[in-house]
Amino acid sequence: MNVFKKLVVLALVILTASCQEKKEMRVFTEADIAIIPKPVSMQLENGVFEFNDQTHFVISDPSQKEIISTLSDKFKAAAGWTLGISEKVPQTNFIEFIVDENLNDEAYELVVNSEKVTIKAKNYSGFLYGLESIRQLLPPQIESKSSVKNTDWVIPNLTIKDEPRFKWRGLHLDVARHFFKKEYIKQTIDMLAMHKMNVFHFHLVDDQGWRIEIKKYPKLTEIGAFRNDQEDAHWDGRRVTTPEDEATYGGFYTQEDIKEIVAYAQSKGVRVVPEIEMPAHVMSAIASYPELSCFETPIGVPSGGVWPITEIYCAGKESTFEFLENVLLEVMELFPSEYIHVGGDEATKTNWKKCPHCQKRMKDEGLASVDELQSYFIKRMERFISSHDRKLIGWDEILEGGLAPEATVMSWRGFEGGIEAADQGHDVVMTPTSYMYFDYYQGPQNVEPLAWGGYIPLSKVYEFDPVVETMTPEQAKHVLGGQANVWSEQIKTESHSQYMIYPRLAALSEAVWSPKESRDWDDFSQRILTLFERYEYLDVNYAKSAFLVMADVNIDMGTKEASVSLKNEFTDADIRYTLNEDQLSREPIKYTEPLKIDKTTTIHASLFKDDNPVGVPFKTTVVFHKAVGKKVTFKEIYDDRYQGDGEFGMVNTLRGTKNFQDGRWQAWLAKGMEAVVDLGEEMPIHEVILGTLENQGPGIYFPTAVSVYVSNDGKTYKEVGVEKRAFAKNPASDLKDFKVSFEEQSVRYVKVVAESLKTLPNGGDVWLFVDEIVIN
């Protein structure tokens, strides 16, 4: 061997030793493992496996190429490597798939040592989930869409044995209220696979849009897929449409689109369950084919909220069932799903009570009520679906009047419907509004995008368990799992949709995958920080609401001292604050106990991690003004349903939020407000501010004018100013201070008059909401 060759060999030996030393130097602890959902069991070992451009995948079946494509593509983007695939096992540096028939469906075993990685599984999904765990063991930079430098592509040596607790781990997405493109649906399916979720519930039909092409009935998409554009108004504040209205807002999926989505989902281990609503939530179909309704009245596709839902399919006509069977035949051709969802919820049966066809049906079938007629309707559809080797699933209203023999219930109105169905021997998917409605707020309404009024933060989702403690073991056997629902009335964009889904989907994934006894909020709240980094690289518009600082303000009207408590979703959160500064200073104060405040004070606060603020900073000002604690009298007292803080509700410094049910608001229905504040003695004032709320959906509107009058005797008043505001459509929820400024003068009595709209633009009474009268 010549000198040159000896030097090359020596260099290789040194390089190999250096690489081995590098592997041994990287020490992982259990705190470094941030897999979500948490595996059933994990044993951490010494050492690491290092990926490089020579790493190979060893497969035992051609179908496994699809599984490895996700990780392979990520290495190509982030590291610039094209990892090889072979069916022969090399000596070292490979990831091998090994079929193990003894494992359960979707289970996997992952073994990592410094030489190789093996994934054992029984089926496609098990291998996919094993690879998803490897993905989460890698640095978050693996999600980068461009090349990343100075990153060690190593994972710890360990053994993971893992399988899901429940077989139904789902996400429902409503594309009927607002249409989302095919590409977004596929992105959502990608994220389901990443979180080891396996059901995509595709809500394709509702009053406001029919989203699936049915070739036998082309008007369903020609007419039913589009509506009049009223997106500038609140969802529940839109006028009733007519068939003559221009309809340009909407869209639909062709059958080729559906086939592409279904095939893509299959490659990600996700089942797509279509929902074709019946007998209600079908005004888009009736607008297309009026003969499907009881009285065949032509209608337009609604542009917004409809309640009650009385235009529903006629249960008395045979042609209705012929139509639905033909629709479902095409649907079943497109979706291989074992389940077909038929909705079944929120049917107001007013028309059925008057319809001669429905009354004849009830007489012929011996049905005692319209609830029994709905049961007949669902049972008949269940027989048809079962005849095609599928299973009917519906919302828990399908229990009313008697449940179809083989039907599965999706319980949304709490857990009760699920318990009842399980007690009758029916399978159940739990999706209660109290935990699983991801269209509800997840943070303080003042800083969140518009949503429905409930509050389901990340920590609440994490508490969800599909099996209720009061269930018997026999009932629990019928619980297939759980699912989150994303209704899209308030969600107009794909970005907003992502915001509502993530990171709550991560909390759900652990709730339906991991053993109940292993779940721990403090542990999860640490692991999810790494997942947030992955979301950043993936350009996912996830909500950072869990970081938000929230304040609870109370005031002692005797001492006129406010107590401000700061809190956060994270246990033992490091919250720091400053008082009366423009922003958080370099040395904010660590929050340890409620702040006592007796004068106007601005509070800045934030959650801190590693001595740096994270999330959106919190800011509030507690304003002590001249009316605090003074006597207030009203010409007409506020509504019993919204009494605020009672006697001192208008003069207690406590400001309301966009949540009109937060207990801070006093409200008047179908009338304005006239209030007189007695300052107790004459004092100089120059400004009066009235705090108000607008949320046009539930009929809450800003006043059209706020006028201020002053007096020294409480009898003779003079007007000192007015602020007017003309009515305007508003799709959002907003707070507004009406400010009336005037030349300073000494007065004792201040009268504030807020004029309200007389009637709503679409009929009905108007609410006026007020939280504080500020006098300066």
Side-chain angles (χ1 to χ4, degrees):
M1 184 180 294
N2 61 36
V3 174
F4 177 74
K5 287 184 177 180
K6 287 182 180 179
L7 289 173
V8 170
V9 171
L10 180 60
L12 288 172
V13 170
I14 294 171
L15 180 61
T16 302
S18 174
C19 289
Q20 187 63 37
E21 182 181 356
K22 182 179 179 182
K23 289 183 184 181
E24 299 301 332
M25 283 175 61
R26 176 67 167 97
V27 177
F28 282 83
T29 66
E30 289 197 8
D32 296 317
I33 312 302
I35 296 175
I36 294 176
K38 190 173 185 177
V40 172
S41 71
M42 182 188 71
Q43 181 64 48
L44 189 62
E45 309 289 350
N46 293 327
V48 300
F49 176 84
E50 183 172 11
F51 288 84
N52 58 40
D53 59 358
Q54 297 301 308
T55 303
H56 266 64
F57 290 98
V58 179
I59 61 174
S60 56
D61 186 284
S63 67
Q64 295 166 358
K65 290 182 180 179
E66 184 65 45
I67 298 172
I68 67 175
S69 64
T70 297
L71 192 58
S72 185
D73 289 347
K74 289 189 174 298
F75 269 115
K76 189 171 184 179
W81 304 334
T82 301
L83 304 185
I85 303 174
S86 68
E87 296 180 3
K88 294 182 179 180
V89 180
Q91 289 185 338
T92 187
N93 194 17
F94 61 91
I95 303 169
E96 183 180 13
F97 290 3
I98 301 173
V99 175
D100 187 341
E101 295 290 345
N102 295 318
L103 294 175
N104 293 326
D105 289 343
E106 299 190 295
Y108 69 94
E109 292 184 4
L110 173 63
V111 179
V112 181
N113 62 47
S114 298
E115 304 302 322
K116 64 180 181 179
V117 177
T118 59
I119 303 174
K120 290 183 180 180
K122 179 180 180 179
N123 57 18
Y124 186 95
S125 292
F127 289 119
L128 186 143
Y129 297 143
L131 212 62
E132 287 294 343
S133 287
I134 291 174
R135 175 182 173 183
Q136 290 198 44
L137 288 170
L138 283 160
Q141 290 86 343
I142 192 65
E143 312 297 344
S144 176
K145 297 175 182 177
S146 58
S147 179
V148 178
K149 305 297 183 184
N150 303 318
T151 300
D152 294 331
W153 302 112
V154 297
I155 61 175
N157 290 348
L158 50 65
T159 298
I160 288 176
K161 295 183 179 180
D162 202 12
E163 63 182 329
R165 181 181 171 206
F166 295 101
K167 63 181 180 181
W168 188 296
R169 307 180 303 281
L171 175 72
H172 156 287
L173 184 64
D174 168 14
V175 297
R177 274 51 178 271
H178 287 96
F179 178 70
F180 301 127
K181 293 179 181 177
K182 173 180 64 179
E183 290 70 25
Y184 177 66
I185 303 303
K186 292 167 73 174
Q187 290 169 12
T188 303
I189 289 167
D190 282 337
M191 295 297 287
L192 288 176
M194 178 181 175
H195 292 82
K196 299 187 176 77
M197 304 287 282
N198 67 349
V199 176
F200 179 66
H201 178 168
F202 209 1
H203 188 83
L204 290 161
V205 172
D206 218 297
D207 292 311
Q208 296 82 9
W210 184 286
R211 303 297 180 210
I212 179 172
E213 178 189 21
I214 302 297
K215 293 186 183 295
K216 190 173 183 67
Y217 301 104
K219 289 183 182 179
L220 289 173
T221 45
E222 290 172 2
I223 295 174
F226 298 92
R227 64 180 186 243
N228 181 251
D229 188 345
Q230 297 185 45
E231 295 303 302
D232 61 339
H234 191 285
W235 179 259
D236 284 335
R238 299 176 184 181
R239 64 174 178 80
V240 176
T241 55
T242 69
E244 290 72 37
D245 283 327
E246 182 183 22
T248 58
Y249 191 91
F252 65 93
Y253 306 100
T254 67
Q255 293 200 357
E256 290 305 310
D257 290 335
I258 295 293
K259 290 175 184 176
E260 184 180 337
I261 289 168
V262 169
Y264 189 78
Q266 286 177 324
S267 75
K268 303 295 180 182
V270 174
R271 293 175 288 156
V272 183
V273 175
E275 182 176 358
I276 307 298
E277 282 270 16
M278 61 185 79
H281 286 287
V282 294
M283 292 175 70
S284 56
I286 292 172
S288 307
Y289 296 97
E291 62 270 23
L292 294 170
S293 65
C294 288
F295 301 111
E296 304 185 8
T297 304
I299 61 173
V301 177
S303 292
V306 177
W307 194 260
I309 304 170
T310 56
E311 286 291 351
I312 65 178
Y313 288 140
C314 179
K317 299 176 185 175
E318 279 301 302
S319 56
T320 299
F321 294 97
E322 179 185 353
F323 165 81
L324 286 170
E325 288 174 4
N326 287 332
V327 167
L328 290 178
L329 284 173
E330 291 195 35
V331 168
M332 288 187 285
E333 279 293 313
L334 296 169
F335 294 92
S337 167
E338 176 186 7
Y339 292 92
I340 303 295
H341 203 298
V342 298
D345 62 314
E346 298 183 331
T348 301
K349 308 171 187 72
T350 307
N351 288 350
W352 285 4
K353 293 177 181 178
K354 299 180 292 184
C355 171
H357 305 287
C358 292
Q359 291 302 305
K360 183 177 185 302
R361 175 81 71 190
M362 290 173 65
K363 182 178 179 181
D364 291 348
E365 298 291 337
L367 305 174
S369 67
V370 288
D371 283 342
E372 289 188 16
L373 181 58
Q374 171 153 337
S375 178
Y376 165 85
F377 192 117
I378 297 299
K379 286 177 179 177
R380 181 164 172 175
M381 298 312 302
E382 194 265 343
R383 288 196 299 271
F384 175 75
I385 289 170
S386 295
S387 72
H388 289 81
D389 298 320
R390 307 297 183 92
K391 293 181 180 179
L392 179 146
I393 185 169
W395 304 110
D396 54 58
E397 283 94 332
I398 67 174
L399 285 160
E400 296 168 4
L403 191 55
E406 302 300 323
T408 298
V409 170
M410 191 166 275
S411 187
W412 72 278
R413 296 178 300 179
F415 293 95
E416 292 75 18
I419 295 171
E420 180 184 346
D423 193 51
Q424 295 178 23
H426 292 267
D427 287 344
V428 174
V429 177
M430 292 294 195
T431 177
T433 57
S434 52
Y435 292 90
M436 292 290 99
Y437 268 42
F438 284 10
D439 51 323
Y440 286 8
Y441 284 99
Q442 57 194 309
Q445 291 190 19
N446 285 14
V447 294
E448 291 286 310
L450 186 66
W452 287 128
Y455 176 56
I456 303 179
L458 184 66
S459 55
K460 179 77 170 180
V461 177
Y462 194 74
E463 294 171 0
F464 171 66
D465 196 304
V467 174
V468 181
E469 289 184 358
T470 58
M471 278 183 159
T472 66
E474 188 59 34
Q475 290 172 331
K477 288 179 183 177
H478 287 286
V479 178
L480 301 179
Q483 173 179 290
N485 295 331
V486 187
W487 301 102
S488 298
E489 291 96 334
Q490 313 289 3
I491 302 172
K492 300 180 182 182
T493 66
E494 294 167 359
S495 177
H496 188 184
S497 178
Q498 284 189 334
Y499 185 92
M500 304 305 284
I501 295 172
Y502 314 106
R504 288 188 286 191
L505 185 74
L508 171 59
S509 75
E510 193 150 307
V512 292
W513 178 285
S514 305
K516 184 176 181 179
E517 59 272 13
S518 74
R519 283 162 50 196
D520 179 89
W521 167 249
D522 291 342
D523 174 47
F524 175 80
S525 62
Q526 291 303 309
R527 282 181 286 122
I528 202 169
L529 299 178
T530 302
L531 187 61
F532 288 168
E533 291 185 60
R534 297 183 188 278
Y535 288 165
E536 295 283 353
Y537 281 107
L538 289 166
D539 293 329
V540 172
N541 183 38
Y542 68 99
K544 302 175 181 66
S545 310
F547 290 141
L548 293 174
V549 172
M550 294 170 280
D552 187 15
V553 184
N554 291 290
I555 187 165
D556 184 329
M557 295 308 299
T559 63
K560 294 185 174 56
E561 182 180 67
S563 175
V564 182
S565 300
L566 303 178
K567 60 183 179 179
N568 182 268
E569 275 201 76
F570 296 113
T571 307
D572 299 324
D574 181 6
I575 297 173
R576 306 181 193 183
Y577 68 92
T578 59
L579 302 178
N580 295 323
E581 297 187 19
D582 292 338
Q583 57 189 0
L584 287 169
S585 67
R586 294 181 182 178
E587 295 184 3
I589 305 163
K590 184 175 178 64
Y591 174 79
T592 57
E593 60 184 3
L595 310 178
K596 302 300 183 181
I597 295 173
D598 59 5
K599 58 185 176 183
T600 297
T601 303
T602 298
I603 304 168
H604 289 273
S606 178
L607 176 69
F608 274 69
K609 183 173 176 58
D610 300 327
D611 289 325
N612 291 307
V614 292
V616 178
F618 167 82
K619 177 185 176 182
T620 192
T621 300
V622 180
V623 178
F624 282 81
H625 51 90
K626 292 186 177 182
V628 172
K630 305 301 183 181
K631 183 180 178 181
V632 182
T633 56
F634 298 99
K635 184 177 182 180
E636 292 189 64
I637 200 69
Y638 37 80
D639 193 279
D640 286 344
R641 287 165 285 185
Y642 300 99
Q643 300 186 44
D645 201 28
E647 179 184 2
F648 295 108
M650 287 286 183
V651 287
N652 61 3
T653 80
L654 304 181
R655 303 304 303 269
T657 68
K658 291 181 181 179
N659 176 10
F660 63 86
Q661 296 175 322
D662 66 7
R664 297 283 174 81
W665 295 97
Q666 295 181 336
W668 288 260
L669 180 62
K671 58 175 74 82
M673 181 205 78
E674 182 175 316
V676 175
V677 181
D678 181 357
L679 296 175
E681 60 182 343
E682 291 185 19
M683 59 180 67
I685 67 170
H686 66 275
E687 181 180 71
V688 175
I689 298 170
L690 189 70
T692 67
L693 169 71
E694 182 167 79
N695 186 340
Q696 294 183 359
I700 303 168
Y701 286 74
F702 286 140
T704 55
V706 173
S707 303
V708 175
Y709 304 81
V710 297
S711 171
N712 282 320
D713 60 9
K715 298 176 182 178
T716 305
Y717 286 88
K718 68 174 181 178
E719 183 175 345
V720 291
V722 61
E723 182 181 354
K724 296 182 178 181
R725 184 184 184 278
F727 162 75
K729 291 181 182 179
N730 184 5
S733 175
D734 285 321
L735 302 169
K736 176 175 171 58
D737 282 345
F738 282 75
K739 183 182 296 186
V740 178
S741 299
F742 44 88
E743 186 176 340
E744 185 174 276
Q745 49 198 290
S746 290
V747 301
R748 174 173 174 176
Y749 299 95
V750 179
K751 181 190 293 184
V752 182
V753 178
E755 298 177 31
S756 176
L757 280 171
K758 301 305 179 186
T759 57
L760 293 175
N762 58 354
D765 292 327
V766 177
W767 282 100
L768 172 68
F769 271 64
V770 181
D771 67 342
E772 187 85 351
I773 298 173
V774 178
I775 299 179
N776 295 316

